[in-house]
Amino acid sequence: MSATGTKTDVAIAEAYSATGTRWRDGPAIIYDRLAEVLVAHSPVPLRGAEVIDVGAGTGAASFAALRAGASSVLAVDAAIGMLIVDTGRRPPSMVADATRLPLGPASFDVVLAAFSFNHLADPAAGFREAARVLRPGGAIVASAYAADDHHPVKPAVEHALRRRGWSPQPWHTDIYRERVPLLATPHACADVIRTTGLDATVTNVRVGFTDLDPRQLVAWRLGLAQHAPFVAAMAAVERDDLVREALDELADAPPLVRSIMVIAVRC
């Protein structure tokens, strides 16, 4: 994830840092595949490219870039707790703000931003900063949650959590009410990009996860930053009961299909 220094941004970074390995053990099964989709939409080849992964989290897009042949990857995130997960096998990283990267201009061939600019109050600032560190002929490839990205597992898990005393933190409410909508539709993405002076291709992509069973879907939701610290504090028997309740509510639910926005910029 990526932050810009406001009270909400600090809270977001703290929540993601507190999530750490629980992200890898649950949400990664979703985000690793979405990272492959992101990389596949790059308008320039990643083979041999120097890449920066902005809002890298536990490294989904970093690893996808390396599998695509990138010569190097620098992972950047505001949440140090995400960057220290599996440090022994990950590319170099730094803690930094997505809108104020401590790097020189024209330093990279490709900027990846997997579900990070949708955390920003001003996503255009993220795109402008990405363009600053990009070499001529390079590309920015960003993904964001689409407005129609729904599945029954989301309310099922939230209902089970609320019955055990969980409630959304202000940072989470702020993101989903104020920030996520800024990049959630083609029109909204175009509005943001228009203010940057960049030229982008915006695509609504639907990604199927038909191989995942309901238990894996519940693990995805429980490992998210808005839920993971609360779940970690529960006794094992209570967590097991929560999972059973969510699974009961998911009876006959359809397979998961994620709806995402992919914004590709060629500079």
Side-chain angles (χ1 to χ4, degrees), residues 4 71 91 98 123 155 184 186 197 205 221 245 262:
T4 56
S71 63
V205 182
R221 301 307 298 175
E245 183 176 324
V262 178

Side-chain angles (χ1 to χ4, degrees), residues 39-63:
V39 165
H41 278 78
S42 175
V44 302
L46 268 72
R47 184 161 300 280
E50 293 183 85
V51 175
I52 181 170
D53 180 8
V54 179
T58 58
S62 297
F63 289 123

